[in-house]
Amino acid sequence: MNSFLSEQKFQLVMQEHTDYLLKLAYLYIKDWPAAEDIVQDVFLAYYQKFEQFEERSSLKTYLAKMTINKCKDYLKSWRYRKQILTNSFLNQSKKIRDKIIVEDEKLVLADAILQLPLKYREVIIYYYFEELSVLEVAQLLSISDNTVKTRLKKARALLKNQLKHTIQWEVLFHE
C-alpha cells in the first residue's frame, strides 16, 4: 500500500463519510459542536495513520469504530463532565431566580389586594384564592351573584390601576 494519501483521495473519503460519522457521533454524545470536533479528529487521525488501515473491513466500518472510540473517550473526559456540571448549575440558578421573581410578584399582588376596600378584597380572596364560584361567594356574603360579578370587575379594575405602575399583570390588562 502506498504510504502517501493524496489530497484528492482524502477529500473523497471525507465527502463520502462525513454525514454518517456526524450522525453517529451525535447519537452518542448529543452535542452537535462536539460531534463535529470528534469527526474532525477522526479524519485527522485517519490522515496521519491511514496506512494502519488493513482493509479487513470497509473504510466506513473502520472510521465508524474510530468515531465510537473517540465518543466514548469524550464522554469520560473532564471537558464533558465540566459541561454537564456547568449546565446543571445554570439550570438550577435559573430555577432559583424564577422562583424568587414569582415570590416577589406574589408579595406585590398580595399587598395590592390588601389595599382594596373590604367589599372588593373579600370577593377577590374568595373567588381567586379560595376558588369559590360566583354563586358560592354570593351565598357566603349574602349578596346576589350579579353583585359579586360587579365587585369582581371593580376589584380587577382597581388592581389594574394599582399594579400598572409596578409590574405588568397581563391577566388584568386583558380583562
Side-chain angles (χ1 to χ4, degrees), residues 21-78:
L21 296 178
L22 277 171
K23 290 174 188 171
L24 180 65
Y26 183 77
L27 287 173
Y28 267 83
I29 60 175
K30 297 184 179 23
D31 179 10
W32 196 257
E36 290 173 331
D37 290 345
I38 286 171
V39 171
Q40 186 176 20
D41 289 348
V42 166
F43 282 126
L44 182 61
Y46 172 70
Y47 184 78
Q48 292 171 342
K49 301 175 183 179
F50 80 95
E51 65 274 348
Q52 291 179 1
F53 175 55
E54 298 174 356
E55 298 185 29
R56 287 189 227 163
S57 62
S58 70
L59 180 58
K60 182 178 181 179
T61 304
Y62 178 72
L63 293 173
K65 187 65 175 165
M66 288 177 64
T67 302
I68 291 168
N69 288 338
K70 289 209 178 274
C71 287
K72 288 179 179 179
D73 291 343
Y74 174 78
L75 292 172
K76 293 177 197 170
S77 72
W78 170 245

Side-chain angles (χ1 to χ4, degrees), residues 113-114 116-130 132 137 140-143 147-148 151-152 155:
I113 290 169
L114 290 175
L116 291 175
L118 179 62
K119 66 181 184 177
Y120 301 121
R121 184 177 5 161
E122 63 188 357
V123 293
I124 288 285
I125 290 171
Y126 289 137
Y127 186 77
Y128 287 106
F129 295 97
E130 298 294 326
L132 299 177
V137 174
L140 188 65
L141 297 177
S142 301
I143 56 177
T147 304
V148 172
R151 287 182 185 178
L152 280 171

Side-chain angles (χ1 to χ4, degrees), residues 8-20:
Q8 280 184 326
K9 185 177 178 187
F10 182 65
Q11 285 181 355
L12 285 173
V13 168
M14 287 180 59
Q15 286 175 359
E16 188 176 333
H17 300 290
T18 298
D19 289 341
Y20 172 73

